Amino acid sequence: WYERLFLRKTETPQRIREYGAFEARDRVLDLGGGTGRISALLTGFVGEVTVLDPSPKMLVQCRKKEGIRCLEGSAEHLPFPDASFEKAIAVCAVRHFADQRAAVAELHRVLTEGGRIVVEEMHPGTWEGKWEILCEWFLRTGSLFFRPRALAALFQEAGFQVEVHDTRRRGRYYLVARK
C-alpha cells in the first residue's frame, strides 16, 4: 500500500530522471530509499542502483525488487569508499536524517568528481508541506523540514554547486547538487 500511495499521481519519477541526467554507466545511491520504489524505476537505465536505509522493514520490500542492492545503514556514516557513486538521489529523506550536515558531508565524500545528487523534499511553506509536518509530528518521526534556500545553503557549505527547482507542485521542490 505504501508504494501505491506515494507513486500515485506524482511527478517524482519524471523529475528525478530529468534532473538526474542519468547515464547507462552510472552507479546510483538512493539514500533513505526505503522500499526501493524510486530506485526500481532506474534499473535498466543505469549501471548499478544501491538503496541505503536504516529500516530493516522497508528493506524487506526493497529486496523483492530485481536489480537493486539493498543495504541497512545511516546517511551519517555511509559504508562506502570515497568516490563510489556518480549519482545519488534522496526522495523525501533528508528531513529524516539524524544529522543532516554530517549526511551531506558523507554524500560529498562518496560522490565522484562531477557527481550529482537530486533531492526531493516537501516545501514547509506550502499547505501540503504544513500537512506533512503535522502528520510527521503526530507520528513523532523527529523530522526536520528545510525551506529550499536553507537546504541549498547546507549543500553549499559541504562544497556542492546547487540549483533549486522550486516547483511547489504538490508542495514539493527539487534540489540538484553537483560536486
Side-chain angles (χ1 to χ4, degrees), residues 6 33 35 101 135 175 177:
F6 287 105
T35 65
R101 185 166 272 106
C135 290
L175 178 139

Side-chain angles (χ1 to χ4, degrees), residues 104-136:
V104 172
E106 277 290 271
L107 273 168
H108 193 272
R109 181 184 66 76
V110 302
L111 283 173
T112 59
E113 199 60 41
R116 81 170 62 185
I117 177 167
V118 180
V119 175
E120 179 193 80
E121 274 297 339
M122 294 298 290
H123 192 305
T126 64
W127 286 109
E128 296 91 339
K130 289 174 184 177
W131 174 249
E132 187 110 357
I133 289 169
L134 180 62
C135 290
E136 294 208 12

Side-chain angles (χ1 to χ4, degrees), residues 22-134:
F22 298 101
E23 298 178 15
R25 64 171 178 75
D26 284 341
R27 296 166 294 169
V28 179
L29 173 62
D30 185 351
L31 194 53
T35 65
R37 65 187 170 93
I38 301 298
S39 287
L41 303 172
L42 295 175
T43 60
F45 293 100
V46 299
E48 177 183 302
V49 181
T50 301
V51 169
L52 183 84
D53 197 274
S55 171
K57 290 181 180 179
M58 294 286 237
L59 291 170
V60 167
Q61 297 302 313
C62 182
R63 290 185 179 103
K64 294 178 181 178
K65 296 174 176 69
E66 290 192 33
I68 302 175
R69 184 171 76 158
C70 307
L71 302 173
E72 187 176 341
S74 76
E76 298 82 5
H77 306 285
L78 297 177
F80 309 108
D82 295 357
S84 293
F85 301 95
E86 285 78 30
K87 305 281 173 51
I89 61 174
V91 177
C92 295
V94 173
R95 68 181 100 156
H96 296 293
F97 301 157
D99 182 345
Q100 284 88 0
R101 185 166 272 106
V104 172
E106 277 290 271
L107 273 168
H108 193 272
R109 181 184 66 76
V110 302
L111 283 173
T112 59
E113 199 60 41
R116 81 170 62 185
I117 177 167
V118 180
V119 175
E120 179 193 80
E121 274 297 339
M122 294 298 290
H123 192 305
T126 64
W127 286 109
E128 296 91 339
K130 289 174 184 177
W131 174 249
E132 187 110 357
I133 289 169
L134 180 62

